[in-house]
Structure formats: structure tokens, C-alpha cells
Amino acid sequence: DGGITQSPKYLFRKEGQNVTLSCEQNLNHDAMYWYRQDPGQGLRLIYYSQIVNDFQKGDIAEGYSVSREKKESFPLTVTSAQKNPTAFYLCASSISGSRYNEQFFGPGTRLTVL
Amino acid sequence: AQTVTQSQPEMSVQEAETVTLSCTYDTSESDYYLFWYKQPPSRQMILVIRQEAYKQQNATENRFSVNFQKAAKSFSLKISDSQLGDAAMYFCALKDSNYQLIWGAGTKLIIKP
């Protein structure tokens, strides 16, 4: 089955630690995205990548970093510089970055800072 | 800047009845796309329906349809014959030349049996 997987489902982090959230897709999509979701708010874009070895900052990139070494993978690192990282993180992909193509989403990772 | 506003934090409807969720948006562009996504308790985001701004005809997908009013910048979602499985958060989103999705804050839909 084609789809997007995110791991882990739940992640706990101590203050001052970096953590990496995994996102893998087997849909052969070129574009991938990372969103953050907080209670009572819509999704906010952290980073996106339209092609391997290239990515752009979204609206709330500070304190986060990404890499895109393979088409299938787009890991997100939450660094200690992110002041309030507790949130639900969603990864998405699309055929390309065009306006028409819908984004498909993974099941998400819930990050909690202890 | 582009914005998407969902003014109804929560809506409830009796099973088998019809409910309409509201969405207004703002963009300076004439060519864009609008989406409704559903997020059930599993938190998996699922596309419900999509509307191209250049199309005057309202999109429909089975029990789901939209009322797209381009001049008023309004994009409401109508769910007919509501079912228990429709209970979820519903998000309206806008995609324009920036190729990024701009999201509303969501509406929680409760289905009463």
C-alpha cells in the first residue's frame, strides 16, 4: 500500500535536547512538507521541499531543521532553540508543488517536552 | 497576506440532517484553489473536496458539496445526510501562487445520534 509513514507516534523530549521526527513516503511524490498543529489553530508550515537536496523555510522555521537527501524521506529535527516545541507534527507530500495537486498526510507525531 | 477564517469553532447536527460549515478567505490573486480537509479523532488529515477558483460550478463529492462565492470570497461546505462517521474537525485551506496551503482554525463537527 502506498502512503506516508511518520515515526514515532508519540515522542517525549527533555528540555535542551534535539529530537528528529521521521517521515517516509512511497508515493513517488516530489514535494514534501512539515506542519505544526496546536490546539484551536490550523496547520502552520515549518519547511517544505519540492525536490531532493532542496528545501525552503515556511512560516515558523525557527528552531527547526530538515534534510532531503532522498526523495522518499524528509526528516524534521526539533532543536533546543525551539522555545515551545510541544505540539502535533504532520508530514505531507504531493506530486509536485503546484497549486492543483492535493497534499496527502501522514498520521502525525505528538511531541511533548518534559 | 492570504488569510482563511472559519468563524464556527463548533457545530452540531442530528444524524441524517444537513449541516453547513462556513469559510471565508482573502487573497489578491484570481487563480487559486480551495480545499476542505477532515481530521477525525485519529488525527489523519483527509481531503474531502477541492474547488478550482476559475470554475464557476460548485464541486460535489457524494454527500459533500460546496457553495463557492468568488466575489464574496466565501467557500462553505454542505454535508447532507450526516453520518456518525462525519464527526471530525473540518479545515478550510487556500492554495495560491505560493503553492503553500493557508489553513483556517477548524470547525469541530458533532453528530448527534
Side-chain angles (χ1 to χ4, degrees):
Chain A
D1 288 332
I4 302 174
T5 58
Q6 290 186 243
S7 61
K9 187 173 182 179
Y10 299 98
L11 185 58
F12 297 90
R13 188 194 95 173
K14 293 181 179 179
E15 284 194 28
Q17 284 183 336
N18 292 353
V19 290
T20 297
L21 283 60
S22 170
C23 177
E24 304 277 335
Q25 55 96 1
N26 61 2
L27 300 169
N28 199 31
H29 285 172
D30 291 308
M32 297 187 74
Y33 312 81
W34 272 107
Y35 292 95
R36 170 178 172 143
Q37 186 177 24
D38 293 286
Q41 297 187 36
L43 279 64
R44 291 183 292 168
L45 184 65
I46 304 172
Y47 268 98
Y48 65 102
S49 168
Q50 298 196 43
I51 196 169
V52 174
N53 292 323
D54 187 48
F55 48 82
Q56 288 77 40
K57 293 181 178 180
D59 298 324
I60 55 166
E62 184 175 352
Y64 300 96
S65 65
V66 294
S67 62
R68 187 84 188 276
E69 298 177 0
K70 298 187 300 180
K71 188 175 185 178
E72 303 79 18
S73 178
F74 192 42
L76 173 74
T77 297
V78 184
T79 74
S80 56
Q82 169 51 235
K83 300 304 179 187
N84 184 22
T86 293
F88 188 65
Y89 291 86
L90 282 162
C91 178
S93 70
S94 65
I95 294 175
S96 72
S98 77
R99 276 171 281 181
Y100 178 79
N101 293 312
E102 70 174 277
Q103 294 182 14
F104 294 83
F105 286 82
T109 292
R110 174 71 184 176
L111 173 63
T112 302
V113 174
L114 303 174
Chain B
Q2 300 88 350
T3 59
V4 176
T5 302
Q6 293 179 251
S7 59
Q8 305 155 318
E10 185 175 297
M11 291 282 286
S12 62
V13 63
Q14 206 71 35
E15 191 177 4
E17 297 295 312
T18 296
V19 64
T20 298
L21 308 184
S22 300
C23 173
T24 57
Y25 60 92
D26 191 24
T27 178
S28 58
E29 302 190 7
S30 59
D31 187 18
Y32 50 89
Y33 291 80
L34 294 160
F35 303 85
W36 277 100
Y37 278 87
K38 169 185 177 181
Q39 188 178 41
S42 67
R43 306 202 75 172
Q44 177 81 49
M45 197 71 77
I46 303 163
L47 178 68
V48 175
I49 200 165
R50 168 177 49 210
Q51 175 77 43
E52 293 88 341
Y54 64 86
K55 289 187 177 179
Q56 292 187 344
Q57 186 173 4
N58 290 325
T60 62
E61 287 288 342
N62 300 315
R63 298 182 295 107
F64 298 87
S65 61
V66 299
N67 183 6
F68 174 48
Q69 302 289 329
K70 191 171 184 178
K73 295 184 178 176
S74 171
F75 183 58
S76 61
L77 174 69
K78 185 172 82 171
I79 305 173
S80 304
D81 186 24
S82 298
Q83 300 175 1
L84 294 177
D86 295 334
M89 286 291 293
Y90 286 81
F91 292 92
C92 178
L94 163 72
K95 199 175 192 187
D96 61 14
S97 61
N98 287 328
Y99 299 163
Q100 298 177 27
L101 279 170
I102 308 301
W103 297 79
T107 296
K108 182 178 181 180
L109 179 62
I110 298 168
I111 310 296
K112 298 178 181 178

